[in-house]
Amino acid sequence: QKEVEQDPGPLSVPEGAIVSLNCTYSNSAFQYFMWYRQYSRKGPELLMYTYSSGNKEDGRFTAQVDKSSKYISLFIRDSQPSDSATYLCAVDQTGANNLFFGTGTRLTVIP
Amino acid sequence: ETGVTQTPRHLVMGMTNKKSLKCEQHLGHNAMYWYKQSAKKPLELMFVYSLEERVENNSVPSRFSPECPNSSHLFLHLHTLQPEDSALYLCASSQDRAGSYNEQFFGPGTRLTVL
């Protein structure tokens, strides 16, 4: 069983739509939850980081963690063409950077 | 230069060649990482260095040989690779590798093609 499962998409939405990206994980010991964004020909960059359960908001982005169902989500409001990228979820048990990544979801926002 | 840089950005090599990938971080970090990113697969952690010591080697074949001469530089030496080794190789760094969460900063990657 993979540590993290992520729907690879691709996902296409019109500009202004609300986007929901999701991952599930297998080990309840994971405590750190990250979302990375990777533009074409670039390395991943950290978008959001959450410790334990709950929500975290940063501008148009909201990360949610539901530890009871081992489910993590990233919501993008008022999506923009510049949000077109691959979004990777990642989990970590101890914060020591033993990251387990999802396969990534490719998102295209159409103007 | 800022952040994490990697050279070369693209590399094509034959199965009998020897080549090296270079990573340099300009962030004053103490930990550095090599990842492999293949299509439709999760990022795979290959090696971790903390304070120039290798602290993790995730069952990577011996045809991949890392080197960390100082805390700012990381190399991945390649020899007798296989076509399935074709992938994007990403370098990352973080301030430390223990204690509370430390963000990893990634370089742009080296796109490797093995013929």
Side-chain angles (χ1 to χ4, degrees):
Chain A
Q1 185 183 9
K2 290 182 183 176
E3 284 82 6
V4 184
E5 297 277 359
Q6 182 175 10
D7 186 342
L11 182 63
S12 291
V13 300
E15 183 175 353
I18 296 174
V19 177
S20 172
L21 303 168
N22 308 292
C23 291
T24 58
Y25 61 93
S26 57
N27 188 342
S28 58
F30 290 127
Q31 299 190 77
Y32 298 84
F33 306 94
M34 282 71 67
W35 285 96
Y36 285 82
R37 178 175 61 195
Q38 186 173 19
Y39 289 116
S40 181
R41 300 188 193 86
K42 295 283 182 75
E45 57 176 343
L46 183 68
L47 193 59
M48 303 280 284
Y49 146 66
T50 309
Y51 173 72
S52 193
S53 279
N55 293 3
K56 189 170 186 178
E57 190 173 317
D58 184 1
R60 296 183 295 108
F61 298 88
T62 299
Q64 282 187 355
V65 177
D66 182 347
K67 293 191 77 178
S68 62
S69 57
K70 301 192 192 74
Y71 196 82
I72 57 177
S73 302
L74 177 70
F75 297 97
I76 307 174
R77 291 183 300 280
D78 186 26
S79 55
Q80 302 295 308
S82 58
D83 296 328
S84 297
T86 297
Y87 290 80
L88 306 161
C89 61
V91 298
D92 186 357
Q93 183 172 338
T94 64
N97 272 317
N98 290 324
L99 300 184
F100 294 96
F101 283 86
T103 51
T105 300
R106 179 175 290 183
L107 170 68
T108 301
V109 180
I110 303 166
Chain B
E1 293 276 18
T2 58
V4 181
T5 58
Q6 291 187 243
T7 55
R9 294 293 310 275
H10 299 272
L11 178 63
V12 179
M13 60 187 287
M15 292 168 61
T16 58
N17 291 159
K18 287 185 180 180
K19 296 286 185 183
S20 295
L21 310 184
K22 179 183 175 182
C23 174
E24 184 172 0
Q25 58 97 359
H26 309 266
L27 300 167
H29 288 168
N30 295 316
M32 297 187 77
Y33 310 77
W34 278 117
Y35 286 89
K36 177 182 179 182
Q37 187 174 33
S38 305
K40 300 183 180 177
K41 286 187 171 182
L43 264 74
E44 301 172 50
L45 180 62
M46 300 175 72
F47 300 104
V48 182
Y49 277 82
S50 179
L51 296 171
E52 301 158 38
E53 280 192 45
R54 190 190 309 180
V55 294
E56 196 145 336
N57 174 351
N58 283 347
S59 304
V60 179
S62 59
R63 56 186 184 269
F64 295 91
S65 175
E67 179 190 0
C68 187
N70 55 61
S71 60
S72 299
H73 293 86
L74 186 65
F75 294 89
L76 188 63
H77 303 300
L78 316 171
H79 64 97
T80 59
L81 294 192
Q82 305 298 311
E84 60 264 29
D85 297 321
S86 299
L88 182 68
Y89 288 85
L90 291 162
C91 173
S93 71
S94 65
Q95 182 63 55
D96 292 295
R97 202 174 167 265
S100 60
Y101 172 73
N102 289 268
E103 180 181 349
Q104 286 192 34
F105 293 81
F106 285 83
T110 295
R111 174 68 62 187
L112 173 67
T113 302
V114 182
L115 301 176

